[in-house]
Amino acid sequence: MSNFYDCGDVVRVTASFTDISSNPADPTGVTLRVKQPDATMNVHTYPGDITKDGTGIYHFDLSITESGDWYYRFEGTGAVQAAAETLFHVYRSNVV
């Protein structure tokens, strides 16, 4: 996934979970925390908002509404306890 986007894009964020032996595995629950550039925090969960694509593979489609740095963190709980956090940048439009 590229780390640079434009306002108005839809960005698919993904997470892959594995067990202690590095085999794909499903957590009991998955949480996605998103911090927008204006510091607004949004929380999404599986089951619920997050889509499961296969064993240990999950995604969520974010509608990008403002420029700046967007941070997100996936967390697995229960059967697979793991977390990963990253960010991407959204360019400010020179036309709008």
Side-chain angles (χ1 to χ4, degrees):
M1 173 170 69
S2 171
N3 289 324
F4 298 95
Y5 298 93
D6 296 307
C7 271
D9 285 349
V10 173
V11 176
R12 178 164 287 186
V13 294
T14 62
S16 297
F17 293 95
T18 59
D19 63 18
I20 199 161
S21 300
S22 298
N23 297 312
D26 290 321
T28 305
V30 177
T31 301
L32 169 63
R33 300 177 194 284
V34 178
K35 182 179 177 185
Q36 297 176 198
D38 68 359
T40 299
M41 289 290 295
N42 293 297
V43 178
H44 307 280
T45 59
Y46 177 86
D49 302 332
I50 299 169
T51 300
K52 179 180 175 184
D53 297 315
T55 302
I57 302 171
Y58 299 82
H59 82 263
F60 184 80
D61 293 332
L62 283 169
S63 294
I64 304 305
T65 57
E66 63 182 288
S67 61
D69 291 330
W70 288 65
Y71 295 85
Y72 66 95
R73 176 184 174 92
F74 276 99
E75 301 168 345
T77 59
V80 177
Q81 295 184 22
E85 186 172 330
T86 192
L87 72 103
F88 59 86
H89 183 78
V90 178
Y91 291 114
R92 180 178 46 209
S93 172
N94 291 316
V95 178
V96 179

